[in-house]
Amino acid sequence: MNEELIQSLLDALRTVIDPELGHNIVDLGLVYEAHVENGRAAILLTTTVPGCPATDFIRQGVEARAAEVPGIAAVEVTMTWEPPWSPERMTDAAKSELGVAW
Amino acid sequence: MFSSTISRWTMLHFAAATALFLVAQVAMAAGAAYPVLPLSAPATLAVVHLLTVGWITLLMLGALHQFVPVITAQTGVAGISALVSLIAILAGLAGMEAGFLSLAGQLPLSVILALPLGGTLVLAGVIAGVIPLAKMLWQTRPLPFAARFVAVGLAFLFATIAAGLVMGLAFARPDWISWPEAFSRGLQLHLMAGLLGWFMLTAMGVSYRLLTMFTLAPEERGPLGTAVLGLSAGGLAATWLLSIAAAAGAPVAPALIAATASATVLGVALYFVDMVRLYRARRRNKLELNTGMARAALVAFALGVLLAVWMLVSGNDALVGPLAYLFVFGWLSGLGLSQLYKIVPFLTWLERYGSVLGKQPVPRVQDLVDEERDEPWFILYFGGVAAGTVFGLMGWQHLWRIAIISHLVASLLIARALWIARRGTTSQARPGRPVSGTPAAPPSLLAPNLVSSE
Ligand code: HEM
């Protein structure tokens, strides 16, 4: 049940893109953690570089999108840059779409 | 709420800088300055400062207002002081231009006072702009790698203006500052601080940050990066300080200056090695137009360094004009135009789509430009500069002017592409992912128009 909710949360977050790379934040590996407990979602999020000018917008986009998921009543997004993001975190599909060498 | 991470006045810096870049190229193409007139002609000085103060300094300050927060990973960007800075620098530049034109005999000689006055205003503007940047850098000690280049570069900016002001005063008030002295010593210090200290070091730092970010290359540059920084920035600072000491009459062994200058050259040579390493280690296989074209700027820089070393060794001063041309148009302006091609759409995207991200489908940053349409203009630009350099070295002045016209046209077309990106008339929807809903209002071209978000 909870697994399903987390899955639909992640699916919803796939509509949020990193504008520079032009790919969704889930498959880029920018969502470090996502938990749901009693309708409260806790999301640990990073950006490709610290101080990225899009940080506020990505965070707000995640908040807005997550709040729309049926079964989620409250959303808490925490930003972190520890550990720093690296391209290894991308899914294989994202890597091949972006032409990221491995 | 304004996003705390978007620099509100950066785009206005870019617009003013680009306009002055075009004006300067028109003046050169029209034969109103170098290469038709001599390098030291007052009209050439007027055009040189349109390029150095108007184009490259404003471009760099505008970019730093946006990217020092990124480089230092600090939130919060310069507010109104960035606008005050821009206005003061533009007003000061206008004064300097009037002063140079009076030297050229195109304005009454009494207007010459506008040269040091304008220079003072430029200084005030630079101080207003640099204070917030310096604060951010200060709070981030120990500074990240790329920011160290920028910090040294900013220090050299003040050194440049100080030397310029002394010379400007000597022009306007020869009774205050004795004339031949101020020039023979001042010009060398002014050029070294401006072209190498401020422009070259800052461009090196910014290129490290932007190119690792846009190509997904490792940001950590290791011992090689440390050597580049220490030798180039340390060597240049030492060379500059020793040159001042020598000018002031201190007994400085010429061999010592030769050693620190050689260290600087070695540092820059290692920078090229590191840039090749950076591009090789990138994770993004397919380069975008901005990172692809940055390679042409790097090649221009490398050729410029070779030419400079050859000139120093052979003592052939006649090369200085074509060399400065290659350095300013190939390296600095080439890097600037190619990175504007990424930064302008990026900032436009943030203003226009940032607040609807997650609420409606949005285009990617790349969708705001058309790389296929614009690639030929970049090729024309760099091709024009390459041809211009060759013609300049051969002394073929008329062909050189034709080459200048070709990169003027290319710059105009690139500026047009940036304008289109800004106005959003290019295809905005990603194939297979149309933008639905009411499109957000296009941002005004120049003024900040940051969408509010509750
Ligand atoms: C970023 C800032 C600046 C840069 C990169 C810069 C660069 C240059 C360059 C390349 C030249 C040599 C031009 C030639 O010989 O054709 C020059 C000359 C000169 N600059 Fe600047 N400049 C800057 C700011 C200033 C300022 C603020 C002043 C103040 C008035 C100034 C005053 C002068 C003067 C008087 C000369 C002529 C010296 C002579 O011919 O003996 N410059 N500058």
Side-chain angles (χ1 to χ4, degrees), chain B residues 34 38-49 51-54 56-58 92-93 95-96 100 103 114-123 126 156-158 160-171 179 182-184 186-188 190-196 198-199 320 324 328 332:
Chain B
Y34 190 77
L39 258 185
S40 57
T44 299
L45 294 176
V47 170
V48 162
H49 289 87
L51 287 168
T52 54
V53 177
I56 299 168
T57 296
L58 285 183
L93 177 59
M96 287 175 61
F100 285 129
L103 276 181
L115 179 58
L117 290 179
T120 309
L121 205 50
V122 169
L123 176 63
V126 165
F156 268 118
L157 172 57
F158 287 105
T160 310
I161 297 177
L165 266 177
V166 172
M167 291 188 298
L169 258 184
F171 267 128
W179 171 279
F183 292 124
S184 55
L187 185 57
Q188 191 203 353
H190 184 61
L191 292 183
M192 204 197 298
L195 298 182
L196 302 182
W198 163 229
F199 289 161
V320 73
V328 167
L332 299 167

Side-chain angles (χ1 to χ4, degrees), chain B residues 4 7 19 32 68 76 85 92 111 190 197 208 212 215 222 269 342 357 382 387 408 422 424-425 427 434:
Chain B
S4 57
S7 160
V68 164
S85 158
V111 179
H190 184 61
Y208 266 122
T212 52
T215 65
K342 181 68 165 192
L357 182 63
F382 284 107
L408 163 63
R422 195 79 194 128
T425 46
S427 81

Side-chain angles (χ1 to χ4, degrees), chain B residues 332-355:
Chain B
L332 299 167
S333 305
L335 184 72
L337 284 176
S338 63
Q339 296 319 297
L340 278 180
Y341 195 76
K342 181 68 165 192
I343 299 171
V344 168
F346 191 15
L347 294 181
T348 304
W349 188 98
L350 291 171
E351 291 176 27
R352 194 184 306 162
Y353 299 107
S355 66

Side-chain angles (χ1 to χ4, degrees), chain B residues 299-309 323 326-327:
Chain B
V299 169
F301 184 18
L303 291 176
V305 172
L306 288 177
L307 201 56
V309 170
L323 171 62
L326 176 62
F327 187 77

Side-chain angles (χ1 to χ4, degrees), chain B residues 232-304:
Chain B
S232 62
L236 189 63
T239 309
W240 198 78
L241 292 173
L242 288 172
S243 307
I244 289 198
V252 179
L256 189 57
I257 297 192
T260 55
S262 307
T264 312
V265 174
L266 179 62
V268 173
L270 292 178
Y271 166 78
F272 297 125
V273 174
D274 204 21
M275 280 292 135
V276 172
R277 204 172 62 111
L278 185 155
Y279 271 92
R280 289 229 173 108
R282 72 178 192 269
R283 301 283 168 70
R284 232 174 159 168
N285 267 351
K286 191 175 171 328
L287 290 175
E288 294 183 295
L289 194 53
N290 69 313
T291 44
M293 288 301 154
R295 287 182 306 185
L298 285 163
V299 169
F301 184 18
L303 291 176

Side-chain angles (χ1 to χ4, degrees), chain A residues 13-34:
Chain A
L13 295 187
R14 283 200 174 83
T15 60
V16 180
I17 62 166
D18 175 286
E20 204 278 307
L21 289 176
H23 208 84
N24 79 71
I25 58 169
V26 176
D27 293 339
L28 286 175
L30 295 173
V31 179
Y32 279 179
E33 285 173 25

Side-chain angles (χ1 to χ4, degrees), chain B residues 36-126:
Chain B
V36 170
L37 300 182
L39 258 185
S40 57
T44 299
L45 294 176
V47 170
V48 162
H49 289 87
L50 277 183
L51 287 168
T52 54
V53 177
W55 159 233
I56 299 168
T57 296
L58 285 183
L59 173 70
M60 283 187 165
L61 285 178
L64 289 179
H65 286 309
Q66 182 60 64
F67 284 99
V68 164
V70 178
I71 290 177
T72 58
Q74 297 255 335
T75 50
V77 287
I80 197 74
S81 59
L83 177 63
V84 172
S85 158
L86 173 64
I87 293 173
I89 293 173
L90 284 173
L93 177 59
M96 287 175 61
E97 293 297 310
F100 285 129
L101 291 182
S102 96
L103 276 181
Q106 284 162 359
L107 287 175
L109 200 59
S110 56
V111 179
I112 180 69
L113 260 187
L115 179 58
L117 290 179
T120 309
L121 205 50
V122 169
L123 176 63
V126 165

